[in-house]
Amino acid sequence: MSTKSIDQEILKKIRERQVTMHPTRHFLVPRVCSVVLLALFALFLVLLASFILYAFHRTGVLYLPMCGSAAFGYLLHPFSWFTGALFFGGLVLVFLFGCIICKTAKFYCMPLLIILLIFGTAFMAFGALVFMSPLHSFLKSFSERHDLTIVKSLYNTATRGTETHTATGIVRESTPDGFELVTLSKKIIAVRIDGSTTFQKDYMIHDNDAVIVVGNMSGTMMTAGFVHRSPAPLSAEETRELSAIDVNEDASE
Amino acid sequence: MERDSLLTTDQPSDETLVAHVIDGNTEAFGALVRRYEQKLLRYGRRFMSGREDIEDIVQEVFLRAYKNLRSFDRSRRFSPWIYRIAHNSFVNEMRRATRHPTVTFDADILLPNRTRESPEDDHDRAEMREFLRKGLEKLDQKYREPLILYYFEEMSYAAISEILHIPVSTVGVRINRGRIALRKIYSMSLPSL
């Protein structure tokens, strides 16, 4: 083909309608679909972030840093396989989201790391907002009331199985040697206090206090390393519900 | 943006021509083709040196551009848009010919870099063009293309970023690394020259 004839060749094809311009809807439909899919993906990531925060809150992991530097050693232990998988799965999904955004939007001019930081922070911030709302408490109680097996087991798996190292719940029957802890997942743990137990500064333990206990578990007995008042007090309803659990009742789910 | 595309006032801009084509003036597309055919042929010959069918590929580039003209965002520049189509077509052709998947992920795009576009004097540019002519084929593809666009097509980093869909800082990194690699290739080939 001669170079000089490129424009003539093209114009000929256009005039003979061998080539036609795609209508606007040809571009609009995929664009709208991709925006909707990305929005749904982002919404899922926000819900996932809030769920991970909720699981951390229920198992006490979220508040471990407040127990002092010595408690950091416990930080990795309370990760249940499920919460850990959710956490790392979430990181992978955020990375995937960043890559898709780079391909579909005009974010390619920014380094991927910056995009990941921006979106990661945004998902955590919105996730924290959802976490602070009553959504998860509502969903959990709703799934229990209506026996929604999958949702119920999702919440139970995420908030259980970490109590070998950390537990959040309310204090019962406190004595100088220990107390009973009714955990948020309605397990009853006998907590032993010894000379090595550290309490939150200026905190005296009382019945019905919501606390986080970090320690070593043996059967249903935990030797407390740290006892810290929960920064997120339980609602009156939750306190009443946990206080009413019978000592002999096998409340484990 | 493209540094050599400043138009005189009596010539309609590329974007105006696109508007005319969309409004039904087919001849305006002919003007766009005439404006870009030599540039794209030159770009293609350098990018895919040794190929006999560059003209056919460039014709396909224009046909694809025409079909997708309504997707062109008129608030942006036409030049990076058509070069982007050309880049995709060339990469696809090379992929088809070699049956090798091209690298789609590179660590360069992950981290921010501090590279900035620095003006070079005419002597430096001429020297780099000379190096490029001699060592282009030996250069890795990921360095070759930004160097072609920068030194021969006279594109800015921002325009190259738009064409290659990589961060602006990565363009700078690749151009700098490409320059170093070229100098190395050139110095190694000196005794045989």
Side-chain angles (χ1 to χ4, degrees):
Chain A
M1 184 194 304
S2 160
T3 307
K4 285 176 189 169
S5 67
I6 283 187
D7 62 319
Q8 292 308 316
E9 284 275 338
I10 289 167
L11 287 177
K12 192 177 155 209
K13 282 184 180 173
I14 293 170
R15 281 189 208 108
E16 289 172 2
R17 301 193 67 79
Q18 290 178 38
V19 180
T20 51
M21 230 184 275
H22 291 308
T24 310
R25 69 172 180 279
H26 177 87
F27 308 104
L28 205 62
V29 173
R31 200 167 291 174
V32 169
C33 288
S34 61
V35 167
V36 169
L37 286 175
L38 272 174
L40 289 174
F41 193 3
L43 185 67
F44 172 75
L45 286 172
V46 167
L47 286 174
L48 182 64
S50 73
F51 184 74
I52 291 169
L53 285 172
Y54 176 79
F56 281 4
H57 160 68
R58 300 293 284 194
T59 52
V61 179
L62 200 58
Y63 309 110
L64 261 183
M66 296 174 188
C67 296
S69 56
F72 272 91
Y74 287 91
L75 260 177
L76 288 177
H77 298 296
F79 271 97
S80 71
W81 65 268
F82 184 69
T83 318
L86 280 182
F87 185 74
F88 289 107
L91 289 181
V92 171
L93 288 177
V94 170
F95 183 79
L96 193 68
F97 185 86
C99 291
I100 295 172
I101 279 283
C102 278
K103 292 278 176 200
T104 54
K106 305 228 183 306
F107 283 98
Y108 54 77
C109 55
M110 287 162 82
L112 187 59
L113 191 70
I114 304 285
I115 293 168
L116 292 178
L117 281 174
I118 291 171
F119 281 100
T121 310
F123 290 139
M124 283 310 290
F126 284 110
L129 285 177
V130 177
F131 158 69
M132 286 189 281
S133 76
L135 178 78
H136 289 294
S137 302
F138 169 77
L139 282 177
K140 187 174 187 290
S141 57
F142 184 84
S143 66
E144 280 166 1
R145 270 203 309 276
H146 295 85
D147 202 24
L148 304 173
T149 318
I150 296 173
V151 183
K152 204 165 73 173
S153 62
L154 187 73
Y155 277 98
N156 288 337
T157 315
T159 56
R160 198 177 56 182
T162 64
E163 289 160 354
T164 51
H165 297 285
T166 178
T168 305
I170 65 159
V171 174
R172 234 167 41 174
E173 317 249 331
S174 58
T175 66
D177 296 326
F179 55 89
E180 258 180 20
L181 184 78
V182 185
T183 71
L184 295 177
S185 56
K186 296 170 187 171
K187 264 186 179 174
I188 297 168
I189 297 171
V191 180
R192 197 165 70 86
I193 296 168
D194 61 17
S196 64
T197 305
T198 309
F199 282 87
Q200 181 186 355
K201 200 179 170 195
D202 300 329
Y203 173 56
M204 291 287 288
I205 203 154
H206 295 107
D207 281 0
N208 289 336
D209 279 354
V211 292
I212 304 160
V213 183
V214 185
N216 294 314
M217 192 86 170
S218 168
T220 55
M221 165 79 81
M222 182 188 261
T223 305
F226 306 91
V227 179
H228 201 285
R229 188 148 201 183
S230 172
L234 303 182
S235 66
E237 191 191 344
E238 268 183 310
T239 309
R240 243 193 331 271
E241 190 188 353
L242 293 178
S243 308
I245 288 174
D246 195 286
V247 180
N248 298 318
E249 183 187 339
D250 181 12
S252 60
E253 292 149 60
Chain B
M1 287 295 123
E2 199 180 359
R3 293 191 293 262
D4 65 351
S5 69
L6 296 170
L7 299 166
T8 53
T9 46
D10 55 341
Q11 280 184 307
S13 68
D14 295 343
E15 295 73 30
T16 309
L17 286 174
V18 169
H20 287 321
V21 181
I22 290 173
D23 291 341
N25 180 0
T26 314
E27 299 306 315
F29 193 71
L32 276 173
V33 173
R34 282 188 293 280
R35 210 173 263 184
Y36 279 95
E37 63 175 285
Q38 288 308 319
K39 289 177 183 177
L40 294 187
L41 283 168
R42 187 177 60 200
Y43 172 40
R45 283 191 189 111
R46 289 200 168 109
F47 188 33
M48 309 198 298
S49 50
R51 288 285 295 245
E52 303 278 319
D53 55 350
I54 303 286
E55 284 164 21
D56 293 329
I57 301 170
V58 168
Q59 194 188 93
E60 275 306 310
V61 168
F62 284 117
L63 292 175
R64 276 181 66 187
Y66 181 76
K67 281 182 201 167
N68 294 294
L69 211 56
R70 283 200 175 101
S71 73
F72 170 65
D73 177 358
R74 278 190 248 175
S75 64
R76 300 173 80 89
R77 299 274 305 213
F78 178 75
S79 163
W81 186 78
I82 189 114
Y83 269 90
R84 173 74 189 160
I85 296 174
H87 159 83
N88 285 341
S89 301
F90 297 157
V91 168
N92 286 342
E93 282 301 321
M94 285 168 76
R95 200 178 288 166
R96 201 174 300 158
T98 58
R99 290 170 182 265
H100 281 301
T102 50
V103 179
T104 52
F105 184 78
D106 196 317
D108 289 345
I109 64 163
L110 187 65
L111 300 167
N113 298 287
R114 278 192 183 172
T115 318
R116 283 190 177 187
E117 198 167 353
S118 53
E120 289 172 296
D121 60 34
D122 290 345
H123 176 263
D124 286 343
R125 292 190 77 83
E127 187 189 51
M128 279 314 295
R129 281 199 196 103
E130 186 60 23
F131 289 170
L132 268 170
R133 276 188 201 100
K134 293 201 162 97
L136 201 61
E137 283 175 42
K138 292 175 189 157
L139 206 58
D140 190 328
Q141 189 200 318
K142 79 174 180 183
Y143 301 128
R144 195 194 305 173
E145 208 178 356
L147 284 170
I148 292 171
L149 291 169
Y150 187 70
Y151 284 106
F152 292 113
E153 303 308 318
E154 307 223 319
M155 298 272 184
S156 67
Y157 283 12
I160 298 171
S161 155
E162 220 171 311
I163 295 164
L164 303 181
H165 277 200
I166 55 173
V168 177
S169 59
T170 306
V171 172
V173 167
R174 290 192 183 172
I175 286 176
N176 280 343
R177 287 188 192 155
R179 276 186 199 132
I180 294 165
L182 263 183
R183 282 181 203 279
K184 206 182 258 182
I185 292 167
Y186 188 72
S187 63
M188 282 164 70
S189 64
L190 266 183
S192 62
L193 287 174

